[in-house]
Amino acid sequence: MVEAIRKSLATPSGLLRRYSFDDGFGETTSAFTICSLWMVEALARIGKEEDARTLFELVLSHANDVGLLSEDIDPTTGELWGNFPQTYSHFGVINAAFALDAAAR
């Protein structure tokens, strides 16, 4: 199930979109930061620690110069879009870090 979700929602860069259908405004192209971080948690909890760490590092690589993340990330340019800074994204970083730590034990 995790891999099916990943395959369905992944952008070419590996970040995840919120959904993959036309919502009346067009098809979503940006990555929804919290979804990528939820995938980090899921991968860590099913024993795919290396994939989880790679995705975690990819998300963190898009933070600005003081470590803040937005709601969305343009998967092509890495530009931060949407609400900024985004609380959900930062809670996602904390929860993903805890999941990765637990997986490493």
Side-chain angles (χ1 to χ4, degrees):
M1 182 71 144
V2 171
E3 289 301 327
I5 292 168
R6 189 177 186 188
K7 183 178 178 183
S8 172
L9 297 178
T11 65
S13 70
L15 297 171
L16 276 74
R17 296 179 304 241
R18 184 189 304 196
Y19 47 80
S20 60
F21 57 85
D22 185 330
D23 61 5
F25 296 103
E27 187 174 336
T28 301
T29 57
S30 63
F32 199 57
T33 307
I34 190 68
C35 290
S36 296
L37 293 164
W38 285 335
M39 181 57 68
V40 170
E41 282 187 74
L43 291 167
R45 290 170 200 250
I46 64 169
K48 296 193 174 213
E49 185 181 350
E50 187 174 326
D51 287 350
R53 284 195 185 284
T54 299
L55 182 55
F56 188 62
E57 290 170 7
L58 177 61
V59 171
L60 294 181
S61 75
H62 293 292
N64 74 359
D65 60 329
V66 293
L68 297 176
L69 291 163
S70 64
E71 180 178 28
D72 296 298
I73 300 169
D74 181 310
T76 304
T77 66
E79 190 174 11
L80 300 174
W81 289 1
N83 294 318
F84 180 84
Q86 177 55 256
T87 302
Y88 290 138
S89 299
H90 295 96
F91 277 127
V93 168
I94 293 165
N95 289 335
F98 278 126
L100 283 167
D101 181 62
R105 293 174 188 228

